[in-house]
Amino acid sequence: MEHSIFRYVWNHSKLAQIWLFAVVIASMPFYFIALELPKRIVNDPIIGNAFSGGATTNYFSFTFALPQMLSGAVLLDFPGFEFSRGSLLFTLIGILSLMVCAEGLMKFYLNNYKGRLGERMLRRLRYQLFDRLLRFPSQHFKRTKASELSTIIKDEVEPLGGFIGDAFVQPFFLGSRALTALLFIMLQNFWLGLVAMFIVALQAIIIPQLRRKLITLGKQRQLAARALAGQIGETFDNISEIHVHDTSNFERARIVSQLGKIFLIRFRIYQRKFFIKFLNNYISQITPMLFYGIGGYLAITGRFDIGQLLAVIAAYKDLPGPIKEIIDWDQRRLDVQVKYETIIDQFNLDNLIPPERQTLSKTAPDSLKGTIEAAALTITDEAGTTLVEQVSFSLQSNKTYAFYGNTNSGADCCGEALICMLSPTNGKLTIDGNEINTIPEAFFGRDLIYVSNETALIDGSILDNIIYGLRNRPVQPYVPKPDEAAAIAKQHFEAYASGNPNLDIRDDWLDLSATNSNSIDELIEQIITALKIVELDRDIYRFGLFRTLDHNIDPIVPQRLLEARKALYHRLKGSELDGLIAPFDPDLYNSQASISENLLFGVATGPSLAPQNLAENAYFIHILDEAELTSILLELGQQFATTIVELSTDLAADHPFFNNLVFMTPDQISELKPLLARYNQDQPNPHKNADRYALLWLAFNYIESRHRMELVDDALQQQIVTARRNFAAQLPAELTDKIEFYDPKAYISNASVQDNILFGRIEHRIANAAARVEVMMREILDELSLDRDIFSIGLQHDVGTGGRSLNMAQRQKIGLTRALIKNPRMLIINHPLSSTEANACHNIMQRIQALRAKNKPEGGMIIVTARETIANLADTVLVFDAGRLVETGAPQHLAQTGAAYRNLAGLNNTN
Amino acid sequence: MSLSDEVNVLRRIPLFAGIEPARLKLLAFSSERVSFQPNDTLCSQGEAADDAFVIINGEAEVLVDIDGHAVVVATLQRNALVGEMSILCDSGRTATVRAINTVDVLKITKDVFVRLIGESPAMAIEIMRLLAQRLQDTTHELTRARSQLNQLKGIE
């Protein structure tokens, strides 16, 4: 990239800059006329110079004659128009206002044009930086902080955009304005013009001198701000370490020191800036005094008329403006140049991946044919440590290999070198005879898939993550709807004008050609198969059950789930398990549910009817009052509170007793004792209302089957069911969308799939109830062929930022599934499922081998591992030790004769 | 059956006899009520032991696996406490307990039980007494078995 921002801007916007010049030049005459007219207005109509005593005069007369040498013939003799003093005055003022307006409109156009130009350049620059980021060699990321790069692309380039539009045209525009004004002054009076020029030159020389130091400070400021962003990002990444090791105060100290540095730099910048401003202002203010002095003296002595003097002063008034702005522009130029250089330093690497290797190919790349060969491969890291030394091997693409070795044995590094994550320092690494560094990335993305054990997940659902690997190229362009075609065409043009490639996110980027499927449905089928193989299916199934359906789901799904609900109850009835679920029956009290759940009999969809706010909801309390429940529930709350206080006195905070009171915080529990004492007094109590809320809320959370205090008898149950009906019947309009009532025949769209199927509470008093219900539910879903839908719903589960809502084993399994559905010729797995227990991992790998044998019989695998059982799955084991390849052979053979193999596998110890 | 009924059941169990009513109420509240169908197993021999059971209703039989055959060694009635010893020594269940008819139990988790011992010296002593008693019984049986064995050897 260009080292100077001017070169960069010029290279990418020559034509636009030239057009800007043209517009600026075209606006100059208007400006000159706007300067000239006030003088004429004063001199001609007001003082009457043009009238020489008469009442009217001919104005705007001019003659156009050929030069004397060409006969001097008069071609045009315009006599002008006849004006009285009054009409001339208003005509001139009218022209002046027209000129001012025309000049303003041109300025408006210019500013718009410059703004767009700047934004386009900003977009181009940002894109180019991001493009470079994608082309950084892998090793570079090991010493770069993500947050620093993001602050560069996001914040640091921002001021550049504002400047780019002004880069050339602003000094030109302001300079020409200043020159016009200077010229005007000179035409009026040569000496005054000279004075003005002298002062301008003074400013133009002194001020930039003073600003030198600002450049260095600006650079420091930028680096310091970047370091700050880096530190914040690091804190974010290491937050658990910070808590675990109690280093939060050390982190505070670091940030304090960083902020101190930034403060000092910024303060120095301010000091200098304001001093320069002061000097600049002083010089500008001195000048008018000279003008008044000299010009006034000339006017008094009659060598200069007053109209001229006023016009000169007006022109001069305009002069400091452009000058000041030029100086400001120069200031910004410095600033931006510093910023630009600091940015470019970070992105101008010598060893960027050449763009050809990432070129988008519209078709699938060539596939892997034969062999992967290493000849005396040596890899050293930046510190000069040898990672791999003189390794030679030849791998056939239809066999399974294991790179067997401990960490630092070189096995991992060889695996990484195969997909260019490490580059050979010496020796050769070729695929089908081609040097690995020259092979397009598309080839790797298709036929040589690498599965890292640190699976990185994107924000989105599990499905998004699994199919992420299929997003190699747009396979189907987006077909715009008639009403958006124009807008899309405009977007494409803008992208083109900013030098962005014409890649459209709206296109269909899902390339199924690598998979064995022809449609999304088939793909989902394959994903489910793969998930079963890596044993993630149960988790996904459970995610599906616990998930609330998306609004855009096919309406057939909730209908089918209702069938499952029906089937479940049908099966429970008559079986010995009848009573396993206490259903939501509109006419019955559900003793597995809390009192408030029984009253609401539905799912709150907003905060107004949420459990924690119920005691303060006016309508809800109104219903309780009407049913004469308020005092009963207050009484109940009191009894509940009394028992809790009685039992919890002197208990440790982690006593299992509190498990039954999960709805309360320890603070709330310790609040109960004073509350009861207050509540039972007859004296006025300032907390009366709050206490009533608290007791009611406590009563609302009482669950008869769990708390077993016999506080809810049959009569109360009946009363609550009646209140439930009234609550629904009289529900005011503003609350209708705040609750979804339980209806045995309707799907509850705000509840999870499982809650919808069960439509009731599991009777925990029956031994193993939850497990039994789950088994039965699965059976029914299988019978109704709904299991696939549950999987699909589960695949929508959000993985959280960076996959944080999943555990490591789940993330690794998703990474593996992502690779399996691509069905590559060669699958490289680095420490497969290192977070899964060895036995399970072995079984999974065996099943993966079987799947590959079926789907890709001509394919092979490379498994980097330190587990003997996994290595034994390979046809050939390559044993690594201390960066060298020490043994190669079939696992059975090595187990007999391979010293290094036996050592690694611990076979020597047992003998 | 409510909390207070459960407390009454607990009070009739010798091990809990010396414990003040408030503690027993806490014990009941912190425990879970579970019911088992006939033939359901409450716990299986060899399994890790996490809970003790107090039988509130119904009957259960205790089975021990001898040479692959399950042999009934005892029948438990209402108010019986079972499984408390295994949770003390982390040893896994020494026997299988199976419901004969519908059995309601109060499931006392290990955590609750151990805390209770810590808080109540009377109960700790009662447990020691019980253990000593069982050891004594076992010793008696061992002595008898040995003498019988010697006699048999003498006959040969």
Side-chain angles (χ1 to χ4, degrees), chain A residues 589-611:
Chain A
Y589 187 87
N590 189 326
S591 63
Q592 296 286 332
S594 70
I595 289 183
S596 62
E597 285 168 320
N598 268 294
L599 281 164
L600 277 184
F601 204 65
V603 184
T605 56
S608 24
L609 289 173

Side-chain angles (χ1 to χ4, degrees), chain A residues 774-841:
Chain A
E774 198 184 325
V775 169
M776 191 177 285
M777 194 161 56
R778 262 197 103 136
E779 279 171 12
I780 287 170
L781 290 170
D782 279 357
E783 283 163 25
L784 293 174
S785 317
L786 269 165
D787 48 336
R788 195 181 168 284
D789 295 86
I790 304 290
F791 275 122
S792 299
I793 297 165
L795 284 172
Q796 298 300 329
H797 180 82
D798 196 86
V799 301
T801 310
R804 279 176 202 224
S805 76
L806 302 176
N807 63 36
M808 194 39 130
Q810 289 170 328
R811 274 183 257 166
Q812 290 180 343
K813 286 174 176 178
I814 289 177
L816 205 47
T817 310
R818 185 191 282 173
L820 284 177
I821 59 161
K822 282 192 93 164
N823 209 18
R825 180 73 185 264
M826 205 69 184
L827 183 61
I828 307 173
I829 313 178
N830 189 7
H831 293 289
L833 303 178
S834 54
S835 295
T836 304
E837 176 263 327
N839 232 339
C841 174

Side-chain angles (χ1 to χ4, degrees), chain A residues 678-742:
Chain A
R678 266 202 309 266
Y679 194 76
N680 291 331
Q681 278 172 359
D682 289 333
Q683 292 156 5
N685 174 1
H687 304 288
K688 195 83 188 173
N689 270 332
D691 289 352
R692 273 170 59 98
Y693 288 147
L695 288 177
L696 271 182
W697 174 76
L698 199 58
F700 288 163
N701 282 291
Y702 178 79
I703 301 175
E704 183 59 53
S705 72
R706 175 183 288 189
H707 300 120
R708 309 194 297 277
M709 295 177 191
E710 286 187 315
L711 297 178
V712 180
D713 56 14
D714 290 348
L716 181 55
Q717 293 191 0
Q718 202 45 55
Q719 246 176 311
I720 289 176
V721 172
T722 313
R724 169 199 296 178
R725 288 198 195 105
N726 293 341
F727 177 82
Q730 301 169 24
L731 194 70
E734 72 267 19
L735 288 178
T736 42
D737 59 342
K738 300 284 184 288
I739 182 164
E740 201 182 355
F741 288 111
Y742 293 143

Side-chain angles (χ1 to χ4, degrees), chain A residues 576-577 640 643-644 646-652 654-658 660-661 704-710 764-768 772, chain B residues 1-6 22-23 25-38 40-41 104 106-107 109 111-112 115 119:
Chain A
E576 56 175 10
L577 293 173
F640 194 15
T643 309
I644 294 173
E646 178 197 340
L647 294 181
S648 66
T649 314
D650 304 332
L651 280 192
D654 60 344
H655 194 280
F657 165 77
F658 297 109
N660 275 340
L661 300 171
E704 183 59 53
S705 72
R706 175 183 288 189
H707 300 120
R708 309 194 297 277
M709 295 177 191
E710 286 187 315
H764 283 286
R765 273 186 278 195
I766 296 178
N768 302 325
R772 289 175 177 189
Chain B
M1 181 179 274
S2 75
L3 212 54
S4 45
D5 298 323
E6 287 163 13
R23 286 257 168 257
K25 200 166 173 186
L26 177 66
L27 176 63
F29 188 80
S30 310
S31 305
E32 210 183 321
R33 274 286 296 280
V34 180
S35 78
F36 290 88
Q37 307 288 318
D40 280 355
T41 49
D104 288 334
L106 196 63
K107 202 159 104 179
T109 61
D111 191 17
V112 174
R115 273 170 201 271
E119 286 159 3

